[in-house]
Amino acid sequence: MVNSPIIRLAPLNVPFERRIQTAATALWLVSLPLTILIFFISCTIIFLWPLIIPYLLFILFDIAPENGGRRYEFARRAKFWKWYSDYFPAKLIKQVDLDPSKNYVFGNHPHGVISVGGWITFATESTGFSELFPGITCRMLTLTTNFNIPLYRDYLMAQGLASVSRQSCMNILRRGPGHSVMIVVGGAGESLSARPGINDLILKKRLGFIKIAIVSGASLCPVFSFGENDIWDQADNPEGSKLWRFQKSVQKLSGWTLPLFHGRGIFNLGKPIDVVQNDNPTEEQLLEVQKKYIAELYEIWDNYKDIYAKNRKRELTLIE
């Protein structure tokens, strides 16, 4: 007897609102290739060249990604993002109020395949970040190379994204009270470990974001996205396998990873960890602050895991 695969089609009676939510999510997923396609099609239209050539020259000298980008509230508050957020659905839970007279470095965990939780919470207002934390202007940070991609770079900056370089972080944090940054601490490498029911974090060797907080005098605030790794599964890629080696090669060349994923979240902001400003912190001081940060992250996990991670296969684990 031969077992044939079962093809499951979406039912015809799906509510219209749910269809809109699904369409919004799908459109977000293809935002990178879509903007690239639009740009290349534009390049084939000769009468647009007088606009395209100056635009490309402008990109070469544009320093906005290193200085907080070009954030537009109308873009962040668009109805589109509410549809996108409600697809999962997403909810932001705060544990304490944040003092708007201070600056913050938010560390987001886990990375997941493509950091859905980080985007929803910090690149849009769909879960009400500004209402929950008035006076805090936070910019989500991403790879500098993303700002070399025509049109896509402008889309990212409109949502409030900026470069994750050290200089960018310092420029934003020195803007004044309330100006803060969000860093997906695990980075692209952590995305290769994203699996449903598993929350393996790359954190032990990540001291750069802690140093930025100490040098700038900003408080550290851990964020945990429950359900981030449950959104998609991905192809098996055990360390040392051909697929794993290929993915790591892509990461070294471009800074991106290439998870082969196939297919809901709650985002918790923990209590901030105040630091003593120091222009030249020692490694011992960095490790001391890291220890406090990890303890607060585990507290978030322990407080909410039985509510939002009921189907976990193992406990929160630091793998690096």
Side-chain angles (χ1 to χ4, degrees), residues 223-269:
V223 182
F224 198 90
S225 298
F226 285 91
E228 181 73 58
N229 286 352
D230 299 328
I231 297 174
W232 289 288
D233 201 353
Q234 57 176 302
D236 289 335
N237 60 342
E239 185 172 345
S241 66
K242 291 182 179 179
L243 176 57
W244 182 86
R245 291 198 299 270
F246 171 71
Q247 291 170 323
K248 296 301 287 186
S249 297
V250 171
Q251 181 185 350
K252 289 180 181 179
L253 290 172
S254 66
W256 299 338
T257 52
L258 192 64
L260 300 182
F261 57 87
H262 50 88
R264 300 185 188 252
I266 302 291
F267 318 112
N268 295 77
L269 271 73

mmCIF file of all heavy atoms in Angstrom, residues 223-269:
data_model
loop_
_atom_site.group_PDB
_atom_site.id
_atom_site.type_symbol
_atom_site.label_atom_id
_atom_site.label_comp_id
_atom_site.label_asym_id
_atom_site.label_seq_id
_atom_site.Cartn_x
_atom_site.Cartn_y
_atom_site.Cartn_z
ATOM 1 N N VAL A 223 13.512 41.571 26.813
ATOM 2 C CA VAL A 223 12.200 41.323 26.214
ATOM 3 C C VAL A 223 12.168 39.874 25.756
ATOM 4 O O VAL A 223 13.098 39.419 25.081
ATOM 5 C CB VAL A 223 11.947 42.238 24.994
ATOM 6 C CG1 VAL A 223 10.557 42.007 24.423
ATOM 7 C CG2 VAL A 223 12.144 43.707 25.363
ATOM 8 N N PHE A 224 11.116 39.153 26.109
ATOM 9 C CA PHE A 224 10.995 37.762 25.662
ATOM 10 C C PHE A 224 9.726 37.601 24.835
ATOM 11 O O PHE A 224 8.645 37.968 25.279
ATOM 12 C CB PHE A 224 10.976 36.786 26.838
ATOM 13 C CG PHE A 224 11.275 35.376 26.416
ATOM 14 C CD1 PHE A 224 12.568 34.904 26.389
ATOM 15 C CD2 PHE A 224 10.253 34.526 26.002
ATOM 16 C CE1 PHE A 224 12.852 33.619 25.973
ATOM 17 C CE2 PHE A 224 10.524 33.237 25.582
ATOM 18 C CZ PHE A 224 11.840 32.784 25.570
ATOM 19 N N SER A 225 9.891 37.056 23.637
ATOM 20 C CA SER A 225 8.761 36.845 22.724
ATOM 21 C C SER A 225 8.305 35.388 22.814
ATOM 22 O O SER A 225 8.855 34.517 22.131
ATOM 23 C CB SER A 225 9.170 37.179 21.287
ATOM 24 O OG SER A 225 9.540 38.528 21.167
ATOM 25 N N PHE A 226 7.314 35.145 23.661
ATOM 26 C CA PHE A 226 6.766 33.790 23.750
ATOM 27 C C PHE A 226 6.039 33.456 22.452
ATOM 28 O O PHE A 226 5.240 34.245 21.949
ATOM 29 C CB PHE A 226 5.799 33.688 24.929
ATOM 30 C CG PHE A 226 6.474 33.638 26.270
ATOM 31 C CD1 PHE A 226 6.732 34.800 26.976
ATOM 32 C CD2 PHE A 226 6.868 32.423 26.814
ATOM 33 C CE1 PHE A 226 7.354 34.768 28.214
ATOM 34 C CE2 PHE A 226 7.497 32.379 28.055
ATOM 35 C CZ PHE A 226 7.740 33.550 28.756
ATOM 36 N N GLY A 227 6.328 32.280 21.930
ATOM 37 C CA GLY A 227 5.691 31.844 20.699
ATOM 38 C C GLY A 227 6.480 32.169 19.447
ATOM 39 O O GLY A 227 6.125 31.721 18.351
ATOM 40 N N GLU A 228 7.565 32.938 19.579
ATOM 41 C CA GLU A 228 8.360 33.320 18.409
ATOM 42 C C GLU A 228 8.848 32.102 17.632
ATOM 43 O O GLU A 228 8.738 32.039 16.405
ATOM 44 C CB GLU A 228 9.553 34.164 18.856
ATOM 45 C CG GLU A 228 10.441 34.647 17.717
ATOM 46 C CD GLU A 228 9.799 35.752 16.905
ATOM 47 O OE1 GLU A 228 9.449 36.786 17.482
ATOM 48 O OE2 GLU A 228 9.647 35.554 15.682
ATOM 49 N N ASN A 229 9.386 31.123 18.354
ATOM 50 C CA ASN A 229 9.929 29.943 17.681
ATOM 51 C C ASN A 229 8.863 28.933 17.282
ATOM 52 O O ASN A 229 9.170 27.920 16.647
ATOM 53 C CB ASN A 229 10.966 29.253 18.576
ATOM 54 C CG ASN A 229 12.274 30.023 18.626
ATOM 55 O OD1 ASN A 229 12.471 30.980 17.890
ATOM 56 N ND2 ASN A 229 13.171 29.608 19.503
ATOM 57 N N ASP A 230 7.608 29.192 17.672
ATOM 58 C CA ASP A 230 6.521 28.273 17.331
ATOM 59 C C ASP A 230 5.809 28.660 16.037
ATOM 60 O O ASP A 230 4.919 27.951 15.580
ATOM 61 C CB ASP A 230 5.487 28.228 18.466
ATOM 62 C CG ASP A 230 6.093 27.739 19.769
ATOM 63 O OD1 ASP A 230 7.018 26.908 19.702
ATOM 64 O OD2 ASP A 230 5.653 28.191 20.842
ATOM 65 N N ILE A 231 6.190 29.810 15.461
ATOM 66 C CA ILE A 231 5.484 30.294 14.269
ATOM 67 C C ILE A 231 5.754 29.393 13.081
ATOM 68 O O ILE A 231 4.852 29.043 12.322
ATOM 69 C CB ILE A 231 5.901 31.743 13.963
ATOM 70 C CG1 ILE A 231 5.474 32.653 15.120
ATOM 71 C CG2 ILE A 231 5.256 32.224 12.665
ATOM 72 C CD1 ILE A 231 5.966 34.082 14.982
ATOM 73 N N TRP A 232 7.023 29.025 12.886
ATOM 74 C CA TRP A 232 7.388 28.147 11.781
ATOM 75 C C TRP A 232 8.297 27.030 12.273
ATOM 76 O O TRP A 232 9.023 27.197 13.250
ATOM 77 C CB TRP A 232 8.162 28.901 10.696
ATOM 78 C CG TRP A 232 7.335 29.862 9.902
ATOM 79 C CD1 TRP A 232 6.383 29.577 8.964
ATOM 80 C CD2 TRP A 232 7.394 31.292 9.972
ATOM 81 N NE1 TRP A 232 5.855 30.728 8.452
ATOM 82 C CE2 TRP A 232 6.449 31.796 9.053
ATOM 83 C CE3 TRP A 232 8.149 32.191 10.721
ATOM 84 C CZ2 TRP A 232 6.241 33.151 8.856
ATOM 85 C CZ3 TRP A 232 7.947 33.546 10.525
ATOM 86 C CH2 TRP A 232 7.001 34.011 9.612
ATOM 87 N N ASP A 233 8.253 25.924 11.576
ATOM 88 C CA ASP A 233 9.278 24.899 11.732
ATOM 89 C C ASP A 233 10.226 25.078 10.557
ATOM 90 O O ASP A 233 9.926 25.783 9.597
ATOM 91 C CB ASP A 233 8.647 23.505 11.729
ATOM 92 C CG ASP A 233 9.565 22.466 12.377
ATOM 93 O OD1 ASP A 233 10.718 22.816 12.699
ATOM 94 O OD2 ASP A 233 9.134 21.323 12.531
ATOM 95 N N GLN A 234 11.376 24.441 10.613
ATOM 96 C CA GLN A 234 12.298 24.538 9.498
ATOM 97 C C GLN A 234 12.983 23.202 9.275
ATOM 98 O O GLN A 234 12.920 22.303 10.106
ATOM 99 C CB GLN A 234 13.328 25.645 9.726
ATOM 100 C CG GLN A 234 14.160 25.512 10.995
ATOM 101 C CD GLN A 234 15.218 26.603 11.090
ATOM 102 O OE1 GLN A 234 16.055 26.742 10.200
ATOM 103 N NE2 GLN A 234 15.190 27.379 12.159
ATOM 104 N N ALA A 235 13.608 23.074 8.114
ATOM 105 C CA ALA A 235 14.246 21.818 7.748
ATOM 106 C C ALA A 235 15.323 21.447 8.756
ATOM 107 O O ALA A 235 15.982 22.316 9.335
ATOM 108 C CB ALA A 235 14.853 21.936 6.351
ATOM 109 N N ASP A 236 15.507 20.145 8.986
ATOM 110 C CA ASP A 236 16.542 19.684 9.905
ATOM 111 C C ASP A 236 17.911 20.127 9.408
ATOM 112 O O ASP A 236 18.280 19.911 8.255
ATOM 113 C CB ASP A 236 16.513 18.151 10.020
ATOM 114 C CG ASP A 236 15.280 17.671 10.784
ATOM 115 O OD1 ASP A 236 14.751 18.455 11.592
ATOM 116 O OD2 ASP A 236 14.866 16.517 10.560
ATOM 117 N N ASN A 237 18.669 20.755 10.304
ATOM 118 C CA ASN A 237 20.009 21.232 9.938
ATOM 119 C C ASN A 237 20.975 21.049 11.096
ATOM 120 O O ASN A 237 21.517 22.023 11.635
ATOM 121 C CB ASN A 237 19.955 22.704 9.518
ATOM 122 C CG ASN A 237 19.433 23.600 10.636
ATOM 123 O OD1 ASN A 237 18.803 23.132 11.585
ATOM 124 N ND2 ASN A 237 19.720 24.892 10.549
ATOM 125 N N PRO A 238 21.200 19.808 11.532
ATOM 126 C CA PRO A 238 22.107 19.591 12.658
ATOM 127 C C PRO A 238 23.493 20.156 12.366
ATOM 128 O O PRO A 238 23.934 20.196 11.212
ATOM 129 C CB PRO A 238 22.143 18.064 12.795
ATOM 130 C CG PRO A 238 21.714 17.547 11.462
ATOM 131 C CD PRO A 238 20.735 18.548 10.944
ATOM 132 N N GLU A 239 24.155 20.626 13.428
ATOM 133 C CA GLU A 239 25.475 21.220 13.260
ATOM 134 C C GLU A 239 26.420 20.244 12.563
ATOM 135 O O GLU A 239 26.533 19.082 12.937
ATOM 136 C CB GLU A 239 26.044 21.617 14.627
ATOM 137 C CG GLU A 239 27.353 22.360 14.545
ATOM 138 C CD GLU A 239 27.803 22.898 15.885
ATOM 139 O OE1 GLU A 239 26.976 22.937 16.822
ATOM 140 O OE2 GLU A 239 28.989 23.284 15.999
ATOM 141 N N GLY A 240 27.084 20.732 11.526
ATOM 142 C CA GLY A 240 28.006 19.906 10.757
ATOM 143 C C GLY A 240 27.403 19.330 9.500
ATOM 144 O O GLY A 240 28.134 18.835 8.624
ATOM 145 N N SER A 241 26.079 19.376 9.359
ATOM 146 C CA SER A 241 25.433 18.846 8.166
ATOM 147 C C SER A 241 25.708 19.757 6.968
ATOM 148 O O SER A 241 26.128 20.905 7.108
ATOM 149 C CB SER A 241 23.921 18.723 8.385
ATOM 150 O OG SER A 241 23.337 20.007 8.543
ATOM 151 N N LYS A 242 25.454 19.250 5.756
ATOM 152 C CA LYS A 242 25.687 20.044 4.542
ATOM 153 C C LYS A 242 24.841 21.312 4.554
ATOM 154 O O LYS A 242 25.304 22.389 4.180
ATOM 155 C CB LYS A 242 25.383 19.202 3.307
ATOM 156 C CG LYS A 242 26.370 18.080 3.054
ATOM 157 C CD LYS A 242 26.023 17.328 1.773
ATOM 158 C CE LYS A 242 27.037 16.218 1.504
ATOM 159 N NZ LYS A 242 26.714 15.455 0.260
ATOM 160 N N LEU A 243 23.560 21.160 4.960
ATOM 161 C CA LEU A 243 22.680 22.322 4.999
ATOM 162 C C LEU A 243 23.178 23.339 6.003
ATOM 163 O O LEU A 243 23.205 24.550 5.721
ATOM 164 C CB LEU A 243 21.248 21.896 5.353
ATOM 165 C CG LEU A 243 20.223 23.026 5.529
ATOM 166 C CD1 LEU A 243 20.138 23.876 4.272
ATOM 167 C CD2 LEU A 243 18.850 22.436 5.889
ATOM 168 N N TRP A 244 23.616 22.890 7.177
ATOM 169 C CA TRP A 244 24.117 23.792 8.216
ATOM 170 C C TRP A 244 25.349 24.541 7.721
ATOM 171 O O TRP A 244 25.466 25.756 7.912
ATOM 172 C CB TRP A 244 24.443 22.994 9.471
ATOM 173 C CG TRP A 244 24.917 23.828 10.628
ATOM 174 C CD1 TRP A 244 24.159 24.460 11.566
ATOM 175 C CD2 TRP A 244 26.292 24.116 10.970
ATOM 176 N NE1 TRP A 244 24.951 25.120 12.469
ATOM 177 C CE2 TRP A 244 26.261 24.934 12.135
ATOM 178 C CE3 TRP A 244 27.519 23.767 10.419
ATOM 179 C CZ2 TRP A 244 27.425 25.397 12.736
ATOM 180 C CZ3 TRP A 244 28.685 24.235 11.015
ATOM 181 C CH2 TRP A 244 28.632 25.032 12.164
ATOM 182 N N ARG A 245 26.270 23.825 7.056
ATOM 183 C CA ARG A 245 27.489 24.464 6.548
ATOM 184 C C ARG A 245 27.153 25.496 5.477
ATOM 185 O O ARG A 245 27.753 26.576 5.419
ATOM 186 C CB ARG A 245 28.448 23.407 5.991
ATOM 187 C CG ARG A 245 29.068 22.507 7.068
ATOM 188 C CD ARG A 245 30.306 21.806 6.548
ATOM 189 N NE ARG A 245 30.009 20.950 5.412
ATOM 190 C CZ ARG A 245 29.668 19.672 5.501
ATOM 191 N NH1 ARG A 245 29.600 19.097 6.700
ATOM 192 N NH2 ARG A 245 29.434 18.953 4.424
ATOM 193 N N PHE A 246 26.176 25.164 4.624
ATOM 194 C CA PHE A 246 25.755 26.112 3.595
ATOM 195 C C PHE A 246 25.152 27.369 4.229
ATOM 196 O O PHE A 246 25.471 28.500 3.832
ATOM 197 C CB PHE A 246 24.730 25.457 2.671
ATOM 198 C CG PHE A 246 24.073 26.413 1.706
ATOM 199 C CD1 PHE A 246 24.788 26.952 0.644
ATOM 200 C CD2 PHE A 246 22.744 26.786 1.879
ATOM 201 C CE1 PHE A 246 24.193 27.837 -0.238
ATOM 202 C CE2 PHE A 246 22.142 27.672 1.005
ATOM 203 C CZ PHE A 246 22.867 28.206 -0.056
ATOM 204 N N GLN A 247 24.307 27.185 5.222
ATOM 205 C CA GLN A 247 23.673 28.325 5.887
ATOM 206 C C GLN A 247 24.699 29.200 6.592
ATOM 207 O O GLN A 247 24.600 30.436 6.565
ATOM 208 C CB GLN A 247 22.621 27.820 6.884
ATOM 209 C CG GLN A 247 21.406 27.188 6.204
ATOM 210 C CD GLN A 247 20.489 26.485 7.185
ATOM 211 O OE1 GLN A 247 20.945 25.875 8.152
ATOM 212 N NE2 GLN A 247 19.188 26.555 6.947
ATOM 213 N N LYS A 248 25.698 28.591 7.220
ATOM 214 C CA LYS A 248 26.737 29.364 7.900
ATOM 215 C C LYS A 248 27.597 30.113 6.882
ATOM 216 O O LYS A 248 28.064 31.227 7.164
ATOM 217 C CB LYS A 248 27.612 28.444 8.752
ATOM 218 C CG LYS A 248 26.879 27.744 9.898
ATOM 219 C CD LYS A 248 26.260 28.734 10.865
ATOM 220 C CE LYS A 248 27.267 29.424 11.737
ATOM 221 N NZ LYS A 248 26.627 30.280 12.775
ATOM 222 N N SER A 249 27.798 29.526 5.702
ATOM 223 C CA SER A 249 28.560 30.213 4.654
ATOM 224 C C SER A 249 27.828 31.448 4.178
ATOM 225 O O SER A 249 28.429 32.513 3.974
ATOM 226 C CB SER A 249 28.808 29.262 3.470
ATOM 227 O OG SER A 249 29.594 28.157 3.859
ATOM 228 N N VAL A 250 26.513 31.314 3.994
ATOM 229 C CA VAL A 250 25.693 32.458 3.602
ATOM 230 C C VAL A 250 25.780 33.548 4.660
ATOM 231 O O VAL A 250 25.887 34.746 4.350
ATOM 232 C CB VAL A 250 24.225 32.035 3.375
ATOM 233 C CG1 VAL A 250 23.331 33.253 3.180
ATOM 234 C CG2 VAL A 250 24.116 31.107 2.178
ATOM 235 N N GLN A 251 25.752 33.150 5.932
ATOM 236 C CA GLN A 251 25.818 34.112 7.032
ATOM 237 C C GLN A 251 27.146 34.870 7.015
ATOM 238 O O GLN A 251 27.180 36.092 7.217
ATOM 239 C CB GLN A 251 25.645 33.403 8.371
ATOM 240 C CG GLN A 251 25.670 34.354 9.568
ATOM 241 C CD GLN A 251 25.613 33.615 10.892
ATOM 242 O OE1 GLN A 251 25.379 32.415 10.937
ATOM 243 N NE2 GLN A 251 25.848 34.337 11.965
ATOM 244 N N LYS A 252 28.245 34.171 6.769
ATOM 245 C CA LYS A 252 29.558 34.818 6.757
ATOM 246 C C LYS A 252 29.686 35.806 5.604
ATOM 247 O O LYS A 252 30.293 36.868 5.737
ATOM 248 C CB LYS A 252 30.655 33.755 6.665
ATOM 249 C CG LYS A 252 30.837 32.942 7.935
ATOM 250 C CD LYS A 252 31.936 31.909 7.761
ATOM 251 C CE LYS A 252 32.103 31.076 9.037
ATOM 252 N NZ LYS A 252 33.161 30.042 8.876
ATOM 253 N N LEU A 253 29.101 35.454 4.451
ATOM 254 C CA LEU A 253 29.220 36.297 3.266
ATOM 255 C C LEU A 253 28.327 37.530 3.323
ATOM 256 O O LEU A 253 28.719 38.616 2.904
ATOM 257 C CB LEU A 253 28.882 35.488 2.006
ATOM 258 C CG LEU A 253 29.892 34.413 1.600
ATOM 259 C CD1 LEU A 253 29.341 33.566 0.461
ATOM 260 C CD2 LEU A 253 31.207 35.077 1.170
ATOM 261 N N SER A 254 27.101 37.359 3.851
ATOM 262 C CA SER A 254 26.119 38.440 3.765
ATOM 263 C C SER A 254 25.672 39.004 5.107
ATOM 264 O O SER A 254 25.091 40.086 5.161
ATOM 265 C CB SER A 254 24.874 37.939 3.020
ATOM 266 O OG SER A 254 24.216 36.931 3.765
ATOM 267 N N GLY A 255 25.929 38.250 6.191
ATOM 268 C CA GLY A 255 25.390 38.655 7.486
ATOM 269 C C GLY A 255 24.007 38.106 7.729
ATOM 270 O O GLY A 255 23.495 38.152 8.839
ATOM 271 N N TRP A 256 23.363 37.584 6.672
ATOM 272 C CA TRP A 256 22.032 36.989 6.796
ATOM 273 C C TRP A 256 22.155 35.483 6.943
ATOM 274 O O TRP A 256 23.161 34.876 6.585
ATOM 275 C CB TRP A 256 21.187 37.259 5.543
ATOM 276 C CG TRP A 256 20.934 38.697 5.254
ATOM 277 C CD1 TRP A 256 20.976 39.732 6.124
ATOM 278 C CD2 TRP A 256 20.617 39.255 3.972
ATOM 279 N NE1 TRP A 256 20.684 40.901 5.487
ATOM 280 C CE2 TRP A 256 20.454 40.652 4.176
ATOM 281 C CE3 TRP A 256 20.433 38.731 2.701
ATOM 282 C CZ2 TRP A 256 20.129 41.520 3.130
ATOM 283 C CZ3 TRP A 256 20.099 39.588 1.654
ATOM 284 C CH2 TRP A 256 19.956 40.956 1.872
ATOM 285 N N THR A 257 21.121 34.872 7.476
ATOM 286 C CA THR A 257 21.025 33.412 7.445
ATOM 287 C C THR A 257 19.922 33.036 6.491
ATOM 288 O O THR A 257 19.122 33.867 6.070
ATOM 289 C CB THR A 257 20.709 32.833 8.834
ATOM 290 O OG1 THR A 257 19.566 33.503 9.376
ATOM 291 C CG2 THR A 257 21.900 32.986 9.763
ATOM 292 N N LEU A 258 19.875 31.767 6.156
ATOM 293 C CA LEU A 258 18.882 31.291 5.201
ATOM 294 C C LEU A 258 18.158 30.080 5.783
ATOM 295 O O LEU A 258 18.345 28.951 5.336
ATOM 296 C CB LEU A 258 19.572 30.905 3.875
ATOM 297 C CG LEU A 258 18.684 30.647 2.664
ATOM 298 C CD1 LEU A 258 17.943 31.931 2.284
ATOM 299 C CD2 LEU A 258 19.522 30.181 1.490
ATOM 300 N N PRO A 259 17.310 30.293 6.817
ATOM 301 C CA PRO A 259 16.559 29.161 7.369
ATOM 302 C C PRO A 259 15.555 28.650 6.348
ATOM 303 O O PRO A 259 14.878 29.451 5.685
ATOM 304 C CB PRO A 259 15.840 29.776 8.583
ATOM 305 C CG PRO A 259 16.489 31.096 8.820
ATOM 306 C CD PRO A 259 16.997 31.542 7.496
ATOM 307 N N LEU A 260 15.454 27.342 6.211
ATOM 308 C CA LEU A 260 14.441 26.763 5.326
ATOM 309 C C LEU A 260 13.227 26.433 6.182
ATOM 310 O O LEU A 260 13.112 25.358 6.743
ATOM 311 C CB LEU A 260 14.992 25.503 4.629
ATOM 312 C CG LEU A 260 16.228 25.740 3.761
ATOM 313 C CD1 LEU A 260 16.639 24.445 3.082
ATOM 314 C CD2 LEU A 260 15.957 26.810 2.709
ATOM 315 N N PHE A 261 12.325 27.412 6.309
ATOM 316 C CA PHE A 261 11.200 27.261 7.227
ATOM 317 C C PHE A 261 9.936 26.895 6.482
ATOM 318 O O PHE A 261 9.789 27.140 5.295
ATOM 319 C CB PHE A 261 10.983 28.534 8.048
ATOM 320 C CG PHE A 261 10.765 29.775 7.226
ATOM 321 C CD1 PHE A 261 9.503 30.111 6.793
ATOM 322 C CD2 PHE A 261 11.834 30.591 6.909
ATOM 323 C CE1 PHE A 261 9.290 31.261 6.056
ATOM 324 C CE2 PHE A 261 11.627 31.743 6.169
ATOM 325 C CZ PHE A 261 10.358 32.081 5.738
ATOM 326 N N HIS A 262 9.018 26.296 7.204
ATOM 327 C CA HIS A 262 7.712 25.981 6.650
ATOM 328 C C HIS A 262 6.681 26.102 7.765
ATOM 329 O O HIS A 262 6.966 25.979 8.938
ATOM 330 C CB HIS A 262 7.699 24.586 6.015
ATOM 331 C CG HIS A 262 8.242 23.497 6.878
ATOM 332 N ND1 HIS A 262 7.476 22.797 7.769
ATOM 333 C CD2 HIS A 262 9.502 23.023 6.992
ATOM 334 C CE1 HIS A 262 8.227 21.890 8.379
ATOM 335 N NE2 HIS A 262 9.463 22.012 7.940
ATOM 336 N N GLY A 263 5.641 26.311 7.285
ATOM 337 C CA GLY A 263 4.642 26.495 8.269
ATOM 338 C C GLY A 263 3.330 25.836 7.833
ATOM 339 O O GLY A 263 3.023 25.886 6.696
ATOM 340 N N ARG A 264 2.002 31.973 17.200
ATOM 341 C CA ARG A 264 1.247 33.070 17.727
ATOM 342 C C ARG A 264 2.051 33.572 18.920
ATOM 343 O O ARG A 264 2.669 32.745 19.557
ATOM 344 C CB ARG A 264 -0.107 32.564 18.124
ATOM 345 C CG ARG A 264 -0.814 31.973 16.844
ATOM 346 C CD ARG A 264 -2.168 31.588 17.160
ATOM 347 N NE ARG A 264 -2.818 30.903 16.175
ATOM 348 C CZ ARG A 264 -3.787 31.387 15.429
ATOM 349 N NH1 ARG A 264 -4.221 32.589 15.660
ATOM 350 N NH2 ARG A 264 -4.292 30.675 14.507
ATOM 351 N N GLY A 265 1.964 34.867 19.207
ATOM 352 C CA GLY A 265 2.985 35.211 20.150
ATOM 353 C C GLY A 265 2.578 36.209 21.211
ATOM 354 O O GLY A 265 1.733 37.059 20.984
ATOM 355 N N ILE A 266 3.226 36.138 22.349
ATOM 356 C CA ILE A 266 3.071 37.082 23.445
ATOM 357 C C ILE A 266 4.441 37.666 23.738
ATOM 358 O O ILE A 266 5.424 36.941 23.828
ATOM 359 C CB ILE A 266 2.528 36.397 24.712
ATOM 360 C CG1 ILE A 266 1.192 35.726 24.411
ATOM 361 C CG2 ILE A 266 2.391 37.383 25.847
ATOM 362 C CD1 ILE A 266 0.057 36.672 24.128
ATOM 363 N N PHE A 267 4.534 38.992 23.888
ATOM 364 C CA PHE A 267 5.811 39.645 24.074
ATOM 365 C C PHE A 267 5.856 40.295 25.449
ATOM 366 O O PHE A 267 5.031 41.140 25.764
ATOM 367 C CB PHE A 267 6.044 40.676 22.966
ATOM 368 C CG PHE A 267 5.620 40.145 21.628
ATOM 369 C CD1 PHE A 267 4.523 40.681 20.983
ATOM 370 C CD2 PHE A 267 6.274 39.071 21.057
ATOM 371 C CE1 PHE A 267 4.100 40.166 19.763
ATOM 372 C CE2 PHE A 267 5.857 38.551 19.842
ATOM 373 C CZ PHE A 267 4.776 39.101 19.198
ATOM 374 N N ASN A 268 6.814 39.908 26.264
ATOM 375 C CA ASN A 268 6.914 40.399 27.636
ATOM 376 C C ASN A 268 8.133 41.283 27.806
ATOM 377 O O ASN A 268 9.256 40.862 27.504
ATOM 378 C CB ASN A 268 7.013 39.220 28.618
ATOM 379 C CG ASN A 268 5.765 38.381 28.626
ATOM 380 O OD1 ASN A 268 5.543 37.593 27.716
ATOM 381 N ND2 ASN A 268 4.938 38.553 29.634
ATOM 382 N N LEU A 269 7.923 42.512 28.276
ATOM 383 C CA LEU A 269 9.027 43.397 28.617
ATOM 384 C C LEU A 269 9.280 43.298 30.103
ATOM 385 O O LEU A 269 8.391 43.537 30.912
ATOM 386 C CB LEU A 269 8.699 44.850 28.235
ATOM 387 C CG LEU A 269 9.077 45.261 26.805
ATOM 388 C CD1 LEU A 269 8.129 44.617 25.817
ATOM 389 C CD2 LEU A 269 9.089 46.756 26.669
#
